[in-house]
Amino acid sequence: MRHLLLSRLLLRRSSAPPSSHHNHLTLLRALSSAPSPISSDAELRKYAGYALLLLGCGAATYYSFPFPADALHKKAVPFKYAPLPEDLHAVSNWSGTHEVHTRVLLQPDSVEALQDALAAAHKERRKLRPLGSGLSPNGLALTRAGMVNLALMDKVLDVDVKKKTVTVQAGIRVAELVDALREHGLTLQNFASIREQQVGGFTQVGAHGTGARLPPVDEQVISMKLVTPAKGTIELSKEKDPELFYLARCGLGGLGVVAEVTLQCVERHQLVEHTFVSNADEVKKNHKKWLSENKHIKYLWIPYTDTIVVVQCNPPSKWRTPKLTSKYGKDEALQHVRDLYHQSLKKYRTEAESNDPEIDTLSFTELRDRLLALDPLDKEHVIRINKAEAEYWKKSEGYRMGWSDEILGFDCGGQQWVSEICFLTGSLAKPTMKDLDYMENLLQLIEKEDIPAPAPIEQRWTARSKSSMSPASSSEEDAIFSWVPKDKDELAELQARLGKRFPVDAYNKARMELDPNKVLSNAKLEKLFPVLEPVHQAK
């Protein structure tokens, strides 16, 4: 791709600019419309001179301004080369689906420095969007106008073992926090699949693990220090301004930058993970019982197959210790996928390229990613990969035991660009089964529309959250929510749905009080939560 774009740039450079084409046309018209063959030698020499001058200018331009190797990120204009400024930062999200270039990427090392940066941006009406570790696949945190990252604010400030709480700077990563808590015998209640998030972003976007009795991670926040452009630093908790606290816990970085946060922890504990393969009929039969009995549970649906992978995680039983070894070894489970990879390489690559010496060192997700990269839009190719994945999971059934932060992690594979939906699915006592209906309809739609949908489609559950802007927000204590990928909404439809589901007016009102100049906003946030009334400078 890089070479293709570079070739186009070179072609554009070597082509004559618009003004040159105009001169060429003028010259041709002049020559073709000459009144008579008795034109003077002086006239002919003049126009021939013009032509040579144009050609000479083109050649001089080409050889005087050669493109460097990194010309892909440069801006090319006729007869002018604009170099990339040394202070221009390239920032991408974790999965590599979005990238922006910005001249402003601040990394304050204290609350005071962060407050000064936001105050200056507010005064000068500049953008300064909070950027965590970029885990959101939709690029929510990115903007060219300017960003602030708290990577240098990554300290553990206090651990209260008796109350099982920890206070940290918001730039600390989840993995680092878990490591720090280990020596105190504590850990976090739940985890998302990946642990590279900064804690500030981890809570602000409503990240979640799985378990119908466990809420999203924003519910672990019991107090926070929020730095705002207009009103400086605000300390929030359910005792101090509870309305704003519950609004800001899952505030998407639009109300302020979370500088410090106090989290409720739990005792460090082990889990036994049971992975097995099921099907739709079996899942429907046991779904209510599984949701209720398992501390953590998720389904991995594999399109174009009847396979559903069920993953259940629970504390070890004092009375029964399961056999922790699988029937098949790792190499046996992977062999079917490796064989497909060799076959696919022979089809899509040359004979020399089909011999990949790394194949025996690749994990399952790495093999799947490489297979998909060969032809991701070929439905039949994707179906073969999905069937190979189903076979892999059948040979990976079994148990494993480990600490909760190790067991609950999940290797998601490569790039992800997904839109996730969270919806109410009744309560533990009375599940509506809408979650399974949703997946049945989704799989039918995939097959009907011939969509080359790769596996897995992961479905998880959580309890409710009291955070106003959480997708799982509810006043019902025993409500449960299902989280699954969703097709992209049209903008108007999405705005209408958000308006019905969330207190958008209250959220926008708080935004305008804390950030009237929209320092913390970007295009995506404005599309999701547009402020229709004119914004006035705060006095």
Side-chain angles (χ1 to χ4, degrees), residues 217-287:
V217 296
D218 53 273
E219 270 292 297
Q220 298 175 42
V221 178
I222 56 179
S223 67
M224 59 198 295
K225 188 173 286 187
L226 192 71
V227 182
T228 70
K231 297 194 174 183
T233 301
I234 303 173
E235 293 190 14
L236 298 173
S237 67
K238 64 180 181 180
E239 292 81 22
K240 297 179 181 179
D241 199 343
E243 183 177 354
L244 183 56
F245 170 66
Y246 286 117
L247 197 62
R249 278 204 309 189
C250 192
L252 302 175
L255 302 181
V257 180
V258 179
E260 296 177 8
V261 59
T262 299
L263 302 170
Q264 184 65 59
C265 302
V266 297
E267 290 184 3
R268 192 168 185 241
H269 57 281
Q270 289 189 313
L271 292 172
V272 175
E273 178 188 83
H274 181 201
T275 301
F276 60 95
V277 170
S278 188
N279 55 57
D281 291 338
E282 192 69 20
V283 167
K284 287 180 182 179
K285 178 181 176 181
N286 294 283
H287 183 55

Side-chain angles (χ1 to χ4, degrees), residues 171-192:
I172 191 170
R173 293 179 183 265
V174 173
E176 296 169 344
L177 173 56
V178 171
D179 290 342
L181 288 173
R182 185 175 296 123
E183 64 181 89
H184 301 284
L186 300 175
T187 191
L188 298 181
Q189 183 185 55
N190 211 345
F191 299 90

Side-chain angles (χ1 to χ4, degrees), residues 211-486:
R213 299 181 188 275
L214 302 173
V217 296
D218 53 273
E219 270 292 297
Q220 298 175 42
V221 178
I222 56 179
S223 67
M224 59 198 295
K225 188 173 286 187
L226 192 71
V227 182
T228 70
K231 297 194 174 183
T233 301
I234 303 173
E235 293 190 14
L236 298 173
S237 67
K238 64 180 181 180
E239 292 81 22
K240 297 179 181 179
D241 199 343
E243 183 177 354
L244 183 56
F245 170 66
Y246 286 117
L247 197 62
R249 278 204 309 189
C250 192
L252 302 175
L255 302 181
V257 180
V258 179
E260 296 177 8
V261 59
T262 299
L263 302 170
Q264 184 65 59
C265 302
V266 297
E267 290 184 3
R268 192 168 185 241
H269 57 281
Q270 289 189 313
L271 292 172
V272 175
E273 178 188 83
H274 181 201
T275 301
F276 60 95
V277 170
S278 188
N279 55 57
D281 291 338
E282 192 69 20
V283 167
K284 287 180 182 179
K285 178 181 176 181
N286 294 283
H287 183 55
K288 179 179 177 180
K289 181 179 72 172
W290 286 347
L291 283 181
S292 179
E293 292 181 352
N294 291 283
K295 184 174 183 179
H296 306 271
I297 186 170
K298 63 184 175 184
Y299 299 158
L300 306 178
W301 300 76
I302 302 182
Y304 296 103
T305 76
D306 61 355
T307 299
I308 304 170
V309 183
V310 181
V311 184
Q312 302 170 345
C313 299
N314 294 287
S317 171
K318 296 179 181 179
W319 300 277
R320 178 176 177 270
T321 302
K323 184 179 179 181
L324 298 179
T325 57
S326 300
K327 182 178 179 181
Y328 297 93
K330 179 182 176 182
D331 287 335
E332 290 178 284
L334 283 173
Q335 193 56 49
H336 193 71
V337 187
R338 289 171 179 165
D339 291 342
L340 177 61
Y341 185 46
H342 277 307
Q343 295 166 12
S344 299
L345 283 179
K346 290 178 180 178
K347 177 181 178 181
Y348 291 101
R349 303 283 174 83
T350 65
E351 185 66 30
E353 293 174 324
S354 65
N355 296 317
D356 189 343
E358 295 183 352
I359 188 169
D360 291 334
T361 66
L362 299 177
S363 68
F364 165 69
T365 53
E366 290 171 331
L367 283 168
R368 183 182 63 198
D369 289 345
R370 292 200 184 190
L371 277 164
L372 289 170
L374 293 173
D375 201 345
L377 299 181
D378 183 341
K379 188 190 79 171
E380 297 305 319
H381 176 61
V382 172
I383 289 176
R384 287 192 292 271
I385 299 172
N386 288 357
K387 290 181 177 179
E389 174 158 355
E391 187 66 23
Y392 165 78
W393 285 113
K394 288 175 183 176
K395 293 183 177 180
S396 300
E397 292 182 316
Y399 295 85
R400 68 180 182 124
M401 186 167 68
W403 295 106
S404 61
D405 56 288
E406 300 167 349
I407 292 293
L408 295 176
F410 179 65
D411 186 356
C412 300
Q415 290 187 341
Q416 298 180 48
W417 195 345
V418 295
S419 176
E420 190 176 42
I421 185 174
C422 169
F423 57 92
L424 180 66
T425 181
S427 64
L428 278 175
K430 295 182 179 180
T432 63
M433 306 296 280
K434 288 183 178 179
D435 43 3
L436 299 189
D437 292 341
Y438 179 92
M439 287 306 307
E440 184 178 354
N441 292 334
L442 178 60
L443 293 173
Q444 288 175 356
L445 178 64
I446 287 172
E447 295 195 16
K448 178 182 177 182
E449 300 295 332
D450 290 327
I451 299 172
I457 299 176
E458 186 176 3
Q459 185 172 30
R460 294 184 280 179
W461 292 266
T462 69
R464 61 111 180 210
S465 168
K466 294 191 291 292
S467 300
S468 308
M469 296 297 292
S470 168
S473 176
S474 175
S475 59
E476 300 294 329
E477 289 189 11
D478 61 345
I480 56 174
F481 291 80
S482 180
W483 303 70
V484 287
K486 185 183 186 300

